[in-house]
């Protein structure tokens, strides 16, 4: 029998691409915020009663850091309470949950990354705090769950998908607008090609439940990555370095050590190479 997957946040950057990829292979019910507001617990319960999913990918969230800082109550309702509603419904229906968390749980850690799953996260934004609180609460509700802490995803606009700010799209937008790109040389984070991540899901459904750092290794700064993208495009002169946002010489490092997942056979192409791959797939190089 075809497995049934319920995915929240179905109109988002990840959700739209996940559904396009697996429609037909799994029985997928993808719901956006208008079809299922996850803060409305009675609607969450009804959705589960009607569909009876085998797997749930909880991709709905308010993931805009500045918005969350400015509207902490709204962010909490969606990012924490909404996740709790979904997890409780999973428990009732014995559905296996993928809860998508974030590298941002480490954005206040004073020590350098890459961080392991055993490291103590210190989030210093509402979004990061929400994700960590949701993780901890969900662990007390449900055992059948994978918590995947994603690095920053990248991809390009495609038909019937949504697009979020990301390194490669930011670079192309700067080129289209004719502006000089400004990137920070004091920020380090993993950058994962969204399609490579989506391809890993059938394998992820077979690994032991637990918390996993998920995505590509990257040893380069945002500035160096932007330089790489623009060099690939023959536009390296269109880059300027800025440090001010994270108070240079302070370094912002939210890189994740993904070796736990790697040992289970879920591996990712290093960010610089994956970026070249993406540009090639879209025929920019
Ligand atoms: N993209 C990344 O780089 C990245 C990195 C780390 C972790 N993550 C996590 O990965 C997941 C997917 O990210 P994404 O990039 O696809 O985010 P996204 O594009 O912002 O999509 C999230 C979706 O959640 C929906 N949503 C917001 N409030 C809701 C509510 N009350 N009820 C139901 N749905 C609601 C939004 O729907 P509407 O637009 O209809 O409001 C939106 O389409 C999120 O949990 C995010 O925190 C993403």
């Amino acid at each position: 029998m075809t497995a049934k997957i319920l995915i929240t946040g179905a109109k988002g950057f990840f959700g739209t691409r996940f559904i396009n990829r697996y429609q037909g292979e799994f029985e997928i019910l993808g719901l956006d915020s208008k079809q299922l507001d996850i803060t409305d617990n009675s609607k969450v319960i009804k959705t589960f009663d009607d569909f009876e999913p085998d797997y749930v990918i909880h991709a709905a969230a308010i993931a805009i850091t500045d918005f969350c800082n400015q509207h902490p109550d709204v962010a909490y309702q969606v990012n924490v309470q909404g996740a709790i509603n979904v997890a409780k419904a999973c428990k009732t229906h014995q559905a296996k949950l993928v809860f998508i968390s974030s590298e941002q749980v480490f954005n206040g850690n004073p020590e350098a990354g890459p961080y392991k799953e055993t490291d103590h996260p210190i989030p210093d934004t509402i979004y990061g705090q929400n994700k960590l609180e949701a993780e901890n609460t969900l662990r007390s509700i449900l055992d059948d769950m994978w918590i995947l802490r994603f690095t920053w995803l990248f991809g390009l606009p495609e038909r019937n998908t949504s697009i979020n700010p990301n390194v490669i799209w930011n670079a192309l937008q700067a080129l289209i607008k004719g502006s000089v790109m400004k990137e920070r040389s004091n920020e380090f984070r993993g950058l994962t090609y969204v399609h490579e991540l989506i391809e890993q899901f059938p394998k992820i459904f077979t690994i032991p439940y637990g918390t996993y750092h998920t995505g590509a290794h990257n040893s380069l700064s945002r500035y160096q990555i932007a330089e790489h993208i623009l060099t690939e495009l023959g536009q390296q002169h269109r880059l300027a370095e800025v440090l001010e946002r994270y108070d240079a010489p302070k370094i912002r490092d939210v890189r994740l050590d993904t070796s736990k997942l790697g040992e289970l056979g879920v591996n990712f192409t290093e960010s610089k190479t994956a970026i070249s791959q993406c540009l090639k797939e879209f025929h920019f190089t």
Side-chain angles (χ1 to χ4, degrees), residues 20-91:
N20 287 347
R21 169 64 182 84
Y22 290 114
Q23 221 156 24
E25 206 163 312
F26 296 102
E27 185 178 339
I28 298 181
L29 177 64
L31 299 174
D32 65 22
S33 60
K34 290 192 189 72
Q35 295 161 311
L36 175 64
D37 178 349
I38 54 164
T39 65
D40 185 338
N41 195 34
S42 61
K43 290 217 173 98
V44 172
I45 291 169
K46 178 156 181 10
T47 301
F48 275 72
D49 286 346
D50 291 347
F51 185 61
E52 296 188 339
D54 301 301
Y55 296 92
V56 176
I57 300 180
H58 182 48
I62 298 180
I64 303 162
T65 307
D66 289 344
F67 179 92
C68 293
N69 283 337
Q70 287 153 14
H71 305 90
D73 296 340
V74 181
Y76 185 89
Q77 277 310 309
V78 175
N79 294 341
V80 183
Q81 192 55 53
I84 292 170
N85 294 343
V86 170
K88 284 186 172 164
C90 285
K91 174 90 176 168

Side-chain angles (χ1 to χ4, degrees), residues 74-179:
V74 181
Y76 185 89
Q77 277 310 309
V78 175
N79 294 341
V80 183
Q81 192 55 53
I84 292 170
N85 294 343
V86 170
K88 284 186 172 164
C90 285
K91 174 90 176 168
T92 306
H93 286 268
Q94 295 174 320
K96 303 170 175 71
L97 175 64
V98 175
F99 174 65
I100 305 181
S101 186
S102 166
E103 56 175 11
Q104 301 292 318
V105 296
F106 292 105
N107 60 15
N109 283 56
E111 76 282 11
Y115 303 101
K116 285 182 176 295
E117 290 82 351
T118 47
D119 288 329
H120 178 65
I122 309 174
D124 69 358
T125 60
I126 296 291
Y127 172 66
Q129 287 161 7
N130 286 169
K131 286 290 187 188
L132 187 61
E133 185 171 344
E135 284 185 14
N136 290 333
T137 310
L138 265 51
R139 280 190 202 100
S140 70
I141 296 171
L142 203 62
D143 294 323
D144 297 359
M145 174 176 64
W146 301 274
I147 293 175
L148 305 181
R149 289 178 179 154
F150 285 2
T151 69
W152 196 16
L153 307 181
F154 69 84
L156 287 168
E158 297 167 54
R159 191 164 184 250
N160 296 328
T161 63
S162 87
I163 187 78
N164 284 353
N166 67 77
V167 271
I168 205 159
W169 179 227
N170 293 354
L172 284 169
Q173 281 182 302
L175 292 180
I176 291 164
K177 287 178 191 153
S179 53

Side-chain angles (χ1 to χ4, degrees), residues 189-203:
R189 60 201 294 196
L191 304 163
T192 305
Y193 189 20
V194 62
H195 288 296
E196 187 176 16
L197 172 60
I198 286 169
E199 286 301 320
Q200 304 277 14
F201 267 73
K203 210 182 280 176

Side-chain angles (χ1 to χ4, degrees), residues 167-168 170-172 175 181-185 191 218 220-241 272 275-276 279 285:
V167 271
I168 205 159
N170 293 354
L172 284 169
L175 292 180
M181 231 188 136
K182 292 182 178 170
E183 280 296 355
R184 294 181 282 276
S185 58
L191 304 163
N218 176 31
L220 302 180
S221 68
R222 270 183 81 157
Y223 176 85
Q224 289 168 315
I225 284 289
E227 190 175 41
H228 170 64
I229 297 168
L230 294 180
T231 302
E232 287 270 61
L233 298 169
Q235 301 288 329
Q236 54 274 35
H237 54 288
R238 307 273 288 276
L239 183 61
E241 185 175 325
K272 185 179 175 186
I275 283 168
S276 299
L279 287 171
T285 56

